[in-house]
Amino acid sequence: MSDGALAHVRRVRSIVQGRDGSGAAGPCNAITRSWIRCLHDYQLDPERREEPEVVDAAELAERRERLAGVQAVAKVEMANLYQQLAGSGYAIVLTDAAGVLLNYFGDPGFTHAASRSGLMPGAVWSERAQGTNGMGTCLAERRPVTVHQDEHYLVRHIGLSCAGAPIFDHEGEIVAALDASGESRLAQQHTLALVTMSVQMIENRVFLDRFRHDYILRFHNRPEFIGTLSEGAIALDPAGKVLAATRCALFQLGFAAPADIVGHDITELFNSSFPGLVDSTVRKAFHAVPIFGLRNGARFYSVMLPPVRVTSSAGRQAAAPTSQAPSPLERVHFGDAAMAANVRIATRVCERNVAIMLVGETGTGKEVFAQALHRSGPRAGKPFVAINCAAIPETLIESELFGYRAGAFTGASKEGQQGKLYQANGGTLFLDEIGDMPYPLQARLLRVLEERTIVPLGGGAPLPLDIQVTSATHCDLQQMIAKGTFREDLFYRLQGITLRLPPLRERTDVRALVSLIVTEESDDGAPLSLDETLLAALERQRWPGNLRQLRHLLRAMIALRESDHLTVHDLPPEYRTGIVAPESPMRDSEEALSGTRDPGAHAAGPLAAGLPQDDVLAADPDATDPLATDPDDGNSHDLNPLEHAEREALLRELQRHDWNISTVARQLHISRNTLYRKVQRLHIRHPGKAVPC
Ligand SMILES: Nc1ncnc2c1ncn2[C@@H]1O[C@H](COP(=O)(O)OP(=O)(O)OP(=O)(O)O)[C@@H](O)[C@H]1O
């Protein structure tokens, strides 16, 4: 054992024994209490070196299943936290109440150290198993703790710095722990504060989701703080009795535990009646109304959320929020300023039924944004009906939109049909690609929006219509107005407010979006980490297909990965242009062992001159078709789509450089050996060669 380790063990023992003896060794803090538990209660040897115990896959799956709701919310917060701490060498970890590690967001710089330390899914990080540590000790202490370097009990963990906080449910029971662990020298003071804030956010969201079918009173002593992590929330049954309350609610009202208020009538807490609270919030279009706490006389502002009801009307509708879809608007950005402003503005205007127009390139998430807005707003639980004006044939769009009476036209069904506009009644109508709405129908749509009534094809009494209209386009509608293909009056009716969704290449939260999508797309439970060079490469792409393209790319990379650490080597070649990619450790070591590393592989310019002629793959003299442009040894049909794409790109490069291996390797910033392996793996051969080169 090293001197440092020996000193650590001595220190642990002497501090614990000092406490046992006179008890005069200064205040007993969380670390000392934990050390005492470790030595006496768990009889752990501080020198213990074994790897953490890891539960088997079935048990891990069961534990994850049990905590599915919390996990769904926590994943979003973990991505947020990761973004806030990115680059500082932290792993963000979620454990269950027993300290079993469920999910992991790894900082690329910490991945190796993390797995060495046992930060892997299924590992048991309870205090009993691993001694004093961020996750286990916050669970044992029931409060947030920082465990820095040699505050860890086991010698094997003193290279770590951890900040952990327990996550409580609405009954005050611990259900999980959130933790940020990193290399000690990178430890930051504010980490624990960030972790604690994330926990609060998770608890609030889980609460709002858990009680979404009940009334929820959200309050704070400052109106602008409603909807933030410090708001209080109380769930109420239809008679106004308290079902549950968040920790922030208890704190603001001066209660110690949920049992102090559960079952009490709301009138015992505030100076307002339950129907009064519901009415005033609805009348004020969900704007905060002042109320007074009876216990401490404090003034609060409150908003009463009505229960979310699941509707069954036809059309493409947003499901009521479920534990799989926590706080939808929070998922659309991770700190990008333009998106944050969009969310802020949209949230405010949507409560007042202002028409919203979303403008942005294809794939920037206009429909996702519209759905999120709907599900976060006062119409959540009511229908969300999306119509893609470009996808419906012009001849059908009128009946699709407005519906028709029985026998309205030849071929009409006997029963008639409810139009999409009416299906959206009470909820949101999302008009996608509004620029493709046929000109004659624009006048009719305008009339419906102005009069808020609808008359189906074939006539009849007008039906009242109450809809939030959100439309989207990637066209320049002003230009269309100038050309006379879009009505100006409809344009102004649709754009109460215009929000521009930024293209992905302009967003500052690409890394967090990547992390979130990777987590969403890797639901086989594998903990994936992303190499720094890969993240940097993704940030630099142009992304003409924006978020849609990013998701498809990541989905393919995850499906085809060779290991759980994704690097630029997992990118298809067309994404690698201009990237100086380090060889993966595996590849490096292969080449080091075989002594075949090509020192010129990353060199450019002058080295290209004077290449040995054997760098050029020689054509086979027996070749029948030396000019073939799609060489194939007959096995390439075994390749998956991504490999096919890679093969094609590689072929193009090889042909462009006359099959000169060194030049192509240099262009792609890979070694010749790596290129040879690729050529073999992708079944590429020189047009004139009989066997793979
Ligand atoms: N905030 C987001 N986080 C993660 N993925 C997203 C997000 N927004 C959009 N996406 C992904 O991008 C895809 C395209 O999103 P969406 O259909 O909303 O874009 P759009 O702008 O309406 O596209 P189009 O103009 O082509 O209709 C979604 O299916 C989803 O996979």
Side-chain angles (χ1 to χ4, degrees), residues 432-453:
D432 202 1
E433 307 293 3
I434 186 69
D436 287 305
M437 170 76 75
Y439 194 80
L441 285 188
Q442 293 175 18
R444 184 134 189 238
L445 176 64
L446 177 67
R447 202 159 52 248
V448 170
L449 299 180
E450 302 258 276
E451 293 169 6
R452 298 270 157 189
T453 57

Side-chain angles (χ1 to χ4, degrees), residues 331-332 361-368 432-433 513 517 547-548 551:
R331 296 177 73 113
V332 300
E361 293 175 12
T362 181
T364 43
K366 297 184 289 294
E367 181 163 353
V368 168
D432 202 1
E433 307 293 3
L513 284 163
I517 296 173
L547 282 156
R548 181 181 290 115
R551 183 178 288 276

Side-chain angles (χ1 to χ4, degrees), residues 499-567:
L499 301 176
R500 278 173 211 289
L501 302 202
L504 186 55
R505 64 184 166 279
E506 285 174 14
R507 287 182 63 161
T508 54
D509 54 355
V510 173
R511 283 172 183 243
L513 284 163
V514 168
S515 299
L516 177 73
I517 296 173
V518 164
T519 312
E520 286 175 348
E521 294 290 339
S522 60
D523 263 352
D524 57 359
L528 298 183
S529 56
L530 307 171
D531 199 79
E532 174 57 32
T533 51
L534 172 62
L535 287 166
L538 292 174
E539 271 185 321
R540 279 202 301 270
Q541 299 294 323
R542 276 204 64 255
W543 300 118
N546 294 295
L547 282 156
R548 181 181 290 115
Q549 184 187 1
L550 174 65
R551 183 178 288 276
H552 289 175
L553 171 72
L554 292 171
R555 185 179 295 162
M557 285 172 67
I558 289 167
L560 302 174
R561 70 187 185 273
E562 284 170 9
S563 87
D564 287 343
H565 183 62
L566 296 179
T567 72

Side-chain angles (χ1 to χ4, degrees), residues 383 401-402 418-426 454 463-465 467:
L401 269 182
F402 302 97
Q418 212 180 46
K420 298 270 189 196
L421 282 170
Y422 198 67
Q423 285 171 19
N425 203 12
I454 182 164
L463 305 164
L465 196 63
I467 48 174

Side-chain angles (χ1 to χ4, degrees), residues 587 590-599 671-673 677:
R587 288 169 179 130
E590 272 172 29
E591 284 165 358
L593 279 175
S594 61
T596 55
R597 185 141 176 80
D598 173 11
S671 73
R672 285 193 314 177
N673 285 319
R677 271 195 296 276

Side-chain angles (χ1 to χ4, degrees), residues 439 475-488:
Y439 194 80
C475 305
D476 184 342
L477 290 182
Q478 296 280 14
Q479 214 172 63
M480 291 181 69
I481 292 169
K483 280 200 219 146
T485 52
F486 201 87
R487 294 183 66 108
E488 191 169 11

Side-chain angles (χ1 to χ4, degrees), residues 99 166 214 280 290 358 420 434 449 495-496 539 573 586 592 606 618 643 670:
D214 302 292
S280 56
L358 302 174
K420 298 270 189 196
I434 186 69
L449 299 180
Q495 65 116 49
E539 271 185 321
M586 167 84 106
E643 285 168 334
I670 57 178

